[in-house]
C-alpha cells in the first residue's frame, strides 16, 4: 500500500499515514489504504494493538479538499459518508487503536484521532477544526468529539477561529495522554501500546466492547445529519469559493 505503511513491534502493528507531500490529507486513495490496512491488522491473530501515526510534519491536515472540490455534491456527500463510516468503525473493531499525534491534527484528521481508543499528543501539536471558518459544518465525527469533551466544548472547538495546543487538548479530554517535552507522541504511544498489548487480550477486548456501546451510540445517525448540513452548507457562495481554491488550475477553469 502506497499511502499507509505497516510496521510491527511485537504484538503492536504500527500503521502510518504516508502522504507527507499532501500533509496526510484524507482522500479516496488514503481511505482505501486505511480500510485495507486496519481490516488486515484487526483480523491478524498476532496483533493485539493497532497504533496509528502520521509520517512527515504532522498527523493529518484533514479531508483532501482536492477530492472534495473535484466532485459534484452527491460525490462529495458520499466521500464524507465513507470517511465517517471508517472513523466510526475504529470504536467497534475488536482491538484497541492507539493514536499518536505529533505536529498537527486538523479537520477530519482531528476527527480521525479523536475516534481512536487512546490518543497521545505532543504539547506543541496544533488541534483545529477550520471547517466553519471556510463555510461548512464538519461532516462527520462531531458525535464522537462531543462524547469525548461534552457538547458545549465540542461546539466551541467546532467554530473556534484559532487552534489549541496539545496541552489544552489534553486538559479538555480531546487527548488522553500528553507526551513529555523530550519525547514524541509516537514514542510515548508505542510504549503505551506495547504495555496494553502485553495484557490479557480477551479482557482488553471485553473492556473495549463494554464502553464502545455508549461511545458509538447515535454516532451513525448524528454523522448522517452532520453530512446533510455539510452538503447544504457547501452550496453557499463563501463555501464554494473556498472549495474552488483547492481545485487544480485546469479543473477550476483558470
Amino acid at each position: 500500500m502506497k499511502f499507509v505503511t505497516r510496521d510491527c513491534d511485537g504484538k503492536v502493528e504500527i500503521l502510518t499515514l504516508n502522504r507527507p507531500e499532501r500533509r496526510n490529507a484524507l482522500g479516496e486513495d488514503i481511505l482505501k489504504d486505511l480500510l485495507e490496512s486496519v481490516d488486515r491488522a484487526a483480523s491478524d491473530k498476532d496483533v493485539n494493538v493497532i497504533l496509528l501515526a502520521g509520517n512527515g510534519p504532522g498527523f493529518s491536515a484533514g479531508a483532501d479538499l482536492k477530492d472534495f472540490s473535484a466532485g459534484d455534491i452527491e460525490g462529495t456527500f458520499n466521500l464524507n459518508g465513507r470517511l465517517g463510516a471508517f472513523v466510526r468503525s475504529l470504536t467497534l473493531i475488536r482491538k484497541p487503536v492507539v493514536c499518536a499525534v505529533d505536529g498537527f491534527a486538523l479537520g477530519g484528521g482531528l476527527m480521525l484521532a479523536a475516534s481512536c481508543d487512546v490518543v497521545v499528543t505532543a504539547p506543541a501539536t496544533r488541534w483545529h477544526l477550520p471547517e466553519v471558518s471556510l463555510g461548512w459544518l464538519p461532516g462527520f465525527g462531531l458525535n464522537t468529539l462531543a462524547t469525548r469533551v461534552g457538547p458545549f466544548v465540542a461546539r466551541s472547538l467546532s467554530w473556534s477561529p484559532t487552534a489549541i495546543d496539545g496541552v489544552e487538548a489534553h486538559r479538555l479530554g480531546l487527548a488522553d495522554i500528553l507526551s513529555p517535552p523530550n519525547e514524541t507522541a509516537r514514542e510515548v504511544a508505542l510504549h503505551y501500546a506495547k504495555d496494553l498489548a502485553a495484557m490479557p487480550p480477551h479482557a482488553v477486548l471485553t473492556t473495549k466492547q463494554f464502553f464502545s456501546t455508549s461511545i458509538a451510540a447515535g454516532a451513525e445517525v448524528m454523522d448522517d445529519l452532520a453530512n446533510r448540513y455539510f452538503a447544504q452548507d457547501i452550496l453557499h457562495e463563501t463555501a464554494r469559493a473556498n472549495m474552488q481554491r483547492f481545485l487544480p488550475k485546469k479543473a477550476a477553469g483558470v
Side-chain angles (χ1 to χ4, degrees):
M1 285 173 285
K2 181 178 180 181
F3 299 110
V4 177
T5 64
R6 171 180 176 258
D7 297 288
C8 290
D9 192 327
K11 293 285 187 177
V12 177
E13 178 141 334
I14 306 166
L15 303 178
T16 306
L17 305 179
N18 188 36
R19 203 184 185 192
E21 73 283 358
R22 293 287 299 145
R23 303 204 302 166
N24 298 326
L26 304 174
E28 294 281 3
D29 293 334
I30 203 167
L31 175 60
K32 178 177 180 292
D33 283 3
L34 276 168
L35 286 165
E36 292 179 4
S37 57
V38 169
D39 183 64
R40 182 179 61 187
S43 60
D44 189 339
K45 61 180 178 57
D46 293 323
V47 174
N48 287 356
V49 176
I50 299 168
L51 172 59
L52 191 60
N55 185 21
F59 176 66
S60 174
D64 189 339
L65 292 182
K66 284 188 176 180
D67 281 1
F68 275 73
S69 303
D72 56 19
I73 297 292
E74 184 177 356
T76 301
F77 180 85
N78 289 338
L79 176 55
N80 230 1
R82 285 182 283 120
L83 283 167
F86 169 70
V87 300
R88 289 194 307 274
S89 74
L90 299 178
T91 303
L92 302 173
I93 64 173
R94 295 171 60 83
K95 293 173 184 177
V97 182
V98 178
C99 185
V101 186
D102 290 294
F104 51 76
L106 309 176
L110 183 153
M111 298 304 196
L112 172 57
S115 298
C116 295
D117 299 306
V118 180
V119 181
V120 183
T121 183
T125 295
R126 283 197 311 125
W127 295 81
H128 191 215
L129 294 171
E131 288 90 340
V132 172
S133 66
L134 294 171
W136 57 85
L137 180 75
F140 62 88
L142 288 170
N143 188 78
T144 301
L145 179 64
T147 302
R148 271 194 168 272
V149 302
F152 286 97
V153 174
R155 183 178 63 187
S156 178
L157 291 172
S158 297
W159 63 27
S160 174
T162 57
I164 61 172
D165 63 15
V167 175
E168 180 67 359
H170 179 250
R171 187 188 72 80
L172 293 174
L174 180 54
D176 303 289
I177 299 170
L178 182 67
S179 66
N182 61 334
E183 291 185 86
T184 65
R186 180 167 177 154
E187 290 169 335
V188 173
L190 180 57
H191 181 75
Y192 181 95
K194 290 171 76 172
D195 285 347
L196 188 58
M199 300 176 72
H202 68 278
V204 172
L205 169 60
T206 53
T207 302
K208 174 165 180 169
Q209 289 178 321
F210 178 86
F211 288 101
S212 292
T213 303
S214 56
I215 292 170
E220 184 175 0
V221 172
M222 296 304 288
D223 274 0
D224 182 68
L225 178 61
N227 198 13
R228 292 180 188 280
Y229 281 137
F230 163 81
Q232 174 182 303
D233 283 344
I234 62 173
L235 295 173
H236 286 257
E237 182 179 345
T238 300
R240 295 310 301 166
N242 281 318
M243 283 281 189
Q244 291 293 310
R245 289 167 42 208
F246 295 94
L247 278 173
K249 289 186 177 181
K250 182 178 179 181
V254 176

